[in-house]
Amino acid sequence: LMYGRMNVINNNTVYMKDGSFVMKDGYSQIDKIIIALVVLFSLYCLEPYFIWDTYAGGTFRYLFGIVPYKTIFGIIFIILSAIKYLSKPIKYNQFLLSVGVFVVAIFTVGLAGGNERSQIFSFAWLPYFVVIAYINLPARIQYKAYDVFLTVFAVSLILPILYWVLFRIGKTIPYTWLDSYEEIKIIRGHYYKLYPLASQRASIYDPLVEIKLSGIFDESGRVGTLCGLFLASERFRLKGKWRNIVMMIAGFLSFS
């Protein structure tokens, strides 16, 4: 059935004559690892509060306090993608998109620093190579990674929305003080109220700052932008789409 190479079906596993195997849902174990790495890398790129240096001393940001987890996720993703799919024919549009991303990387990493060339020999290239590797994945892997990340993002907004509503109706919610990892925000008197699985930007000088929903991210600039991009990609379909409804609500409450 699968290109005539299917051999034995055992529970949820389809074993192939070449010794490889895929799950009955059509994704091999390596595919699932690749998808998980894409989601983790993307989430870490958004700087959620639990990877800030000010949260638990950066425990969830660096492995052994040295190597960023984001870097590890990206490198492993690129290696696994290359091992499994590098030998596959590259479509013309994938090639053009890959070249376009590389040209952008040359300008932003190699040239934008003026006379400063330290970034050329750094991991600043990594996000662009991750994007190139993602572009050259099979469409079904891309769609699945998108779908999983969309779910993770939408779920991360549920509790922040609930806290936002409770606060507006006068309910007191216990929180702890969390400093931003950005020095400019600390100087301006901004900090974050840390709730269970949610954060809310606040200010000791401007109470209006707190009206904008923060989710779990370093606001402003994450929640509203991502909600808008996701809703556009979903063509703003709301009927029967709980994730889109959550993002529509969160997007409005971000006042972005």
Side-chain angles (χ1 to χ4, degrees):
L1 292 175
M2 297 183 65
Y3 309 104
R5 297 187 299 128
M6 188 172 71
N7 189 15
V8 180
I9 298 180
N10 179 21
N11 295 330
N12 292 322
T13 306
V14 179
Y15 293 89
M16 314 301 288
K17 289 182 178 179
D18 61 3
S20 63
F21 63 91
V22 299
M23 308 305 289
K24 281 186 179 179
D25 58 8
Y27 302 98
S28 68
Q29 293 286 22
I30 293 181
D31 287 337
K32 291 183 177 181
I33 293 173
I34 288 174
I35 291 168
L37 289 169
V38 170
V39 172
L40 286 170
F41 183 84
S42 302
L43 183 62
Y44 266 61
C45 282
L46 294 176
E47 299 286 343
Y49 72 83
F50 55 81
I51 71 168
W52 299 353
D53 292 327
T54 55
Y55 181 82
T59 301
F60 301 102
R61 187 181 187 90
Y62 302 99
L63 180 63
F64 303 126
I66 302 174
V67 184
Y69 282 107
K70 181 174 69 174
T71 300
I72 297 173
F73 297 148
I75 291 175
I76 298 176
F77 165 71
I78 292 172
I79 292 174
L80 289 181
S81 301
I83 290 174
K84 184 160 187 183
Y85 295 111
L86 189 61
S87 61
K88 306 291 183 182
I90 299 177
K91 296 180 181 179
Y92 182 68
N93 63 329
Q94 291 176 315
F95 174 75
L96 288 182
L97 285 171
S98 299
V99 171
V101 172
F102 186 68
V103 170
V104 171
I106 291 176
F107 277 96
T108 56
V109 178
L111 301 178
N115 294 325
E116 179 58 56
R117 295 290 182 262
S118 60
Q119 284 200 116
I120 294 179
F121 304 103
S122 72
F123 282 105
W125 296 92
L126 183 63
Y128 300 95
F129 287 119
V130 167
V131 172
I132 291 173
Y134 178 80
I135 287 172
N136 289 283
L137 289 175
R140 64 186 182 88
I141 307 296
Q142 294 176 342
Y143 295 153
K144 187 63 176 179
Y146 165 89
D147 188 67
V148 172
F149 184 72
L150 178 58
T151 299
V152 171
F153 178 69
V155 169
S156 76
L157 296 172
I158 295 175
L159 281 177
I161 291 174
L162 177 61
Y163 296 143
W164 192 95
V165 172
L166 290 175
F167 181 76
R168 296 297 162 229
I169 63 177
K171 299 296 182 181
T172 301
I173 309 170
Y175 67 88
T176 57
W177 181 301
L178 179 64
D179 286 325
S180 171
Y181 67 96
E182 294 183 309
E183 186 176 353
I184 185 64
K185 288 183 178 177
I186 296 176
I187 294 174
R188 292 179 176 178
H190 291 187
Y191 66 98
Y192 287 82
K193 293 181 177 181
L194 184 59
Y195 303 106
L197 300 178
S199 65
Q200 177 60 55
R201 187 163 67 109
S203 173
I204 60 178
Y205 303 122
D206 184 7
L208 290 178
V209 168
E210 200 167 346
I211 198 174
K212 297 183 177 182
L213 182 79
S214 297
I216 63 173
F217 305 106
D218 175 35
E219 286 295 314
S220 54
R222 302 292 197 282
V223 172
T225 301
L226 283 168
C227 286
L229 289 172
F230 272 128
L231 287 170
S233 71
E234 293 286 306
R235 300 183 180 181
F236 289 90
R237 292 172 293 188
L238 299 179
K239 186 177 180 179
K241 304 283 186 179
W242 69 267
R243 299 179 302 183
N244 294 357
I245 294 173
V246 169
M247 290 188 295
M248 179 67 78
I249 295 171
F252 275 119
L253 296 183
S254 73
F255 293 93
S256 177

